[in-house]
Short mmCIF file of all heavy atoms in Angstrom, two decimals:
data_model
loop_
_atom_site.label_atom_id
_atom_site.label_comp_id
_atom_site.label_asym_id
_atom_site.label_seq_id
_atom_site.Cartn_x
_atom_site.Cartn_y
_atom_site.Cartn_z
N VAL A 1372 21.22 6.31 4.98
CA VAL A 1372 22.24 6.77 4.01
C VAL A 1372 22.99 5.58 3.44
O VAL A 1372 23.25 5.52 2.21
CB VAL A 1372 23.20 7.81 4.68
CG1 VAL A 1372 24.37 8.09 3.79
CG2 VAL A 1372 22.44 9.10 4.96
N ILE A 1373 23.35 4.62 4.24
CA ILE A 1373 24.05 3.43 3.77
C ILE A 1373 23.20 2.66 2.78
O ILE A 1373 23.66 2.25 1.71
CB ILE A 1373 24.51 2.56 4.96
CG1 ILE A 1373 25.62 3.25 5.73
CG2 ILE A 1373 24.96 1.16 4.47
CD1 ILE A 1373 26.00 2.56 7.05
N ILE A 1374 21.94 2.45 3.14
CA ILE A 1374 21.00 1.75 2.22
C ILE A 1374 20.85 2.49 0.91
O ILE A 1374 20.92 1.90 -0.18
CB ILE A 1374 19.64 1.47 2.92
CG1 ILE A 1374 19.85 0.45 4.04
CG2 ILE A 1374 18.61 0.99 1.91
CD1 ILE A 1374 18.61 0.25 4.91
N ALA A 1375 20.66 3.80 0.99
CA ALA A 1375 20.50 4.62 -0.24
C ALA A 1375 21.78 4.54 -1.08
O ALA A 1375 21.68 4.45 -2.30
CB ALA A 1375 20.18 6.04 0.14
N GLY A 1376 22.93 4.58 -0.45
CA GLY A 1376 24.18 4.45 -1.20
C GLY A 1376 24.31 3.12 -1.89
O GLY A 1376 24.77 3.01 -3.02
N SER A 1377 23.90 2.05 -1.18
CA SER A 1377 23.94 0.70 -1.76
C SER A 1377 23.00 0.62 -2.99
O SER A 1377 23.34 0.05 -4.03
CB SER A 1377 23.53 -0.39 -0.78
OG SER A 1377 24.46 -0.35 0.31
N VAL A 1378 21.79 1.13 -2.85
CA VAL A 1378 20.85 1.13 -3.94
C VAL A 1378 21.37 1.94 -5.13
O VAL A 1378 21.28 1.50 -6.29
CB VAL A 1378 19.45 1.62 -3.48
CG1 VAL A 1378 18.52 1.86 -4.65
CG2 VAL A 1378 18.84 0.65 -2.50
N ALA A 1379 21.92 3.10 -4.85
CA ALA A 1379 22.47 3.91 -5.91
C ALA A 1379 23.62 3.22 -6.63
O ALA A 1379 23.75 3.27 -7.83
CB ALA A 1379 22.94 5.27 -5.36
N GLY A 1380 24.48 2.54 -5.87
CA GLY A 1380 25.59 1.78 -6.48
C GLY A 1380 25.04 0.69 -7.37
O GLY A 1380 25.57 0.45 -8.46
N ALA A 1381 24.06 -0.06 -6.88
CA ALA A 1381 23.48 -1.13 -7.69
C ALA A 1381 22.85 -0.58 -8.93
O ALA A 1381 23.02 -1.14 -10.05
CB ALA A 1381 22.47 -1.92 -6.87
N LEU A 1382 22.12 0.50 -8.85
CA LEU A 1382 21.52 1.12 -10.03
C LEU A 1382 22.58 1.63 -11.01
O LEU A 1382 22.41 1.47 -12.23
CB LEU A 1382 20.60 2.27 -9.62
CG LEU A 1382 19.26 1.85 -9.01
CD1 LEU A 1382 18.50 3.08 -8.54
CD2 LEU A 1382 18.44 1.05 -9.97
N ALA A 1383 23.64 2.16 -10.51
CA ALA A 1383 24.74 2.62 -11.40
C ALA A 1383 25.36 1.44 -12.13
O ALA A 1383 25.62 1.56 -13.33
CB ALA A 1383 25.80 3.38 -10.60
N TYR A 1384 25.56 0.33 -11.45
CA TYR A 1384 26.11 -0.88 -12.06
C TYR A 1384 25.19 -1.38 -13.17
O TYR A 1384 25.62 -1.70 -14.29
CB TYR A 1384 26.36 -1.96 -11.05
CG TYR A 1384 26.80 -3.26 -11.64
CD1 TYR A 1384 28.15 -3.43 -12.06
CD2 TYR A 1384 25.91 -4.30 -11.79
CE1 TYR A 1384 28.57 -4.61 -12.64
CE2 TYR A 1384 26.34 -5.47 -12.40
CZ TYR A 1384 27.66 -5.64 -12.81
OH TYR A 1384 28.04 -6.79 -13.39
N VAL A 1385 23.91 -1.52 -12.84
CA VAL A 1385 22.92 -2.01 -13.82
C VAL A 1385 22.86 -1.07 -15.03
O VAL A 1385 22.80 -1.51 -16.17
CB VAL A 1385 21.55 -2.22 -13.16
CG1 VAL A 1385 20.47 -2.46 -14.18
CG2 VAL A 1385 21.59 -3.38 -12.14
N THR A 1386 22.83 0.22 -14.78
CA THR A 1386 22.75 1.20 -15.88
C THR A 1386 23.99 1.11 -16.76
O THR A 1386 23.89 1.11 -17.97
CB THR A 1386 22.60 2.63 -15.30
OG1 THR A 1386 21.45 2.66 -14.48
CG2 THR A 1386 22.49 3.63 -16.39
N ASN A 1387 25.15 1.00 -16.16
CA ASN A 1387 26.41 0.86 -16.93
C ASN A 1387 26.40 -0.44 -17.72
O ASN A 1387 26.83 -0.41 -18.89
CB ASN A 1387 27.61 0.91 -15.97
CG ASN A 1387 28.92 1.00 -16.70
OD1 ASN A 1387 29.01 1.67 -17.72
ND2 ASN A 1387 29.93 0.30 -16.23
N ASP A 1388 25.96 -1.52 -17.13
CA ASP A 1388 25.89 -2.79 -17.83
C ASP A 1388 24.91 -2.71 -19.03
O ASP A 1388 25.21 -3.20 -20.12
CB ASP A 1388 25.49 -3.92 -16.85
CG ASP A 1388 25.58 -5.30 -17.46
OD1 ASP A 1388 26.64 -5.58 -18.11
OD2 ASP A 1388 24.64 -6.10 -17.29
N LEU A 1389 23.78 -2.12 -18.82
CA LEU A 1389 22.78 -1.94 -19.87
C LEU A 1389 23.37 -1.05 -20.99
O LEU A 1389 23.20 -1.37 -22.17
CB LEU A 1389 21.50 -1.32 -19.30
CG LEU A 1389 20.37 -1.13 -20.25
CD1 LEU A 1389 19.90 -2.46 -20.82
CD2 LEU A 1389 19.19 -0.44 -19.53
N ALA A 1390 24.02 0.01 -20.63
CA ALA A 1390 24.62 0.89 -21.66
C ALA A 1390 25.70 0.17 -22.50
O ALA A 1390 25.73 0.30 -23.71
CB ALA A 1390 25.25 2.15 -21.00
N ASN A 1391 26.51 -0.64 -21.82
CA ASN A 1391 27.53 -1.42 -22.56
C ASN A 1391 26.88 -2.45 -23.48
O ASN A 1391 27.35 -2.66 -24.63
CB ASN A 1391 28.50 -2.09 -21.59
CG ASN A 1391 29.46 -1.12 -20.95
OD1 ASN A 1391 29.71 -0.02 -21.48
ND2 ASN A 1391 29.96 -1.48 -19.80
N SER A 1392 25.83 -3.09 -23.01
CA SER A 1392 25.11 -4.07 -23.87
C SER A 1392 24.52 -3.41 -25.06
O SER A 1392 24.58 -3.93 -26.17
CB SER A 1392 24.01 -4.78 -23.05
OG SER A 1392 24.59 -5.54 -22.01
N MET A 1393 23.93 -2.22 -24.87
CA MET A 1393 23.34 -1.49 -26.00
C MET A 1393 24.42 -1.07 -27.00
O MET A 1393 24.22 -1.14 -28.23
CB MET A 1393 22.56 -0.29 -25.50
CG MET A 1393 21.27 -0.66 -24.77
SD MET A 1393 20.44 0.69 -24.04
CE MET A 1393 19.98 1.66 -25.46
N LYS A 1394 25.55 -0.68 -26.50
CA LYS A 1394 26.68 -0.29 -27.39
C LYS A 1394 27.14 -1.48 -28.20
O LYS A 1394 27.36 -1.38 -29.44
CB LYS A 1394 27.82 0.28 -26.53
CG LYS A 1394 29.04 0.68 -27.32
CD LYS A 1394 30.15 1.12 -26.42
CE LYS A 1394 31.46 1.27 -27.16
NZ LYS A 1394 32.60 1.42 -26.30
N ASP A 1395 27.32 -2.62 -27.55
CA ASP A 1395 27.75 -3.85 -28.24
C ASP A 1395 26.76 -4.25 -29.32
O ASP A 1395 27.08 -4.61 -30.43
CB ASP A 1395 27.98 -4.99 -27.26
CG ASP A 1395 29.18 -4.77 -26.35
OD1 ASP A 1395 29.98 -3.86 -26.64
OD2 ASP A 1395 29.28 -5.47 -25.33
N ARG A 1396 25.45 -4.19 -28.96
CA ARG A 1396 24.39 -4.58 -29.89
C ARG A 1396 24.38 -3.60 -31.08
O ARG A 1396 24.17 -4.01 -32.22
CB ARG A 1396 23.05 -4.57 -29.17
CG ARG A 1396 21.91 -4.95 -29.97
CD ARG A 1396 21.80 -6.42 -30.12
NE ARG A 1396 20.50 -6.72 -30.70
CZ ARG A 1396 20.25 -7.82 -31.30
NH1 ARG A 1396 21.17 -8.73 -31.44
NH2 ARG A 1396 19.10 -8.03 -31.83
N GLY A 1397 24.57 -2.34 -30.83
CA GLY A 1397 24.61 -1.33 -31.90
C GLY A 1397 25.77 -1.57 -32.82
O GLY A 1397 25.64 -1.45 -34.05
N THR A 1398 26.95 -1.95 -32.29
CA THR A 1398 28.12 -2.25 -33.10
C THR A 1398 27.85 -3.47 -33.98
O THR A 1398 28.17 -3.45 -35.17
CB THR A 1398 29.34 -2.48 -32.21
OG1 THR A 1398 29.57 -1.32 -31.42
CG2 THR A 1398 30.56 -2.79 -33.03
#
């Protein structure tokens, strides 16, 4: 459960970073 939580947190961070980059590029 701890490993899965860590992986999910890392994926959430990467997804959020990617979404912000796409928003900036679109602007």
Side-chain angles (χ1 to χ4, degrees):
V1372 169
I1373 290 172
I1374 291 173
S1377 298
V1378 169
L1382 286 176
Y1384 174 77
V1385 168
T1386 303
N1387 189 38
D1388 189 46
L1389 182 61
N1391 286 337
S1392 295
M1393 290 174 64
K1394 178 183 169 192
D1395 292 345
R1396 181 81 169 157
T1398 301

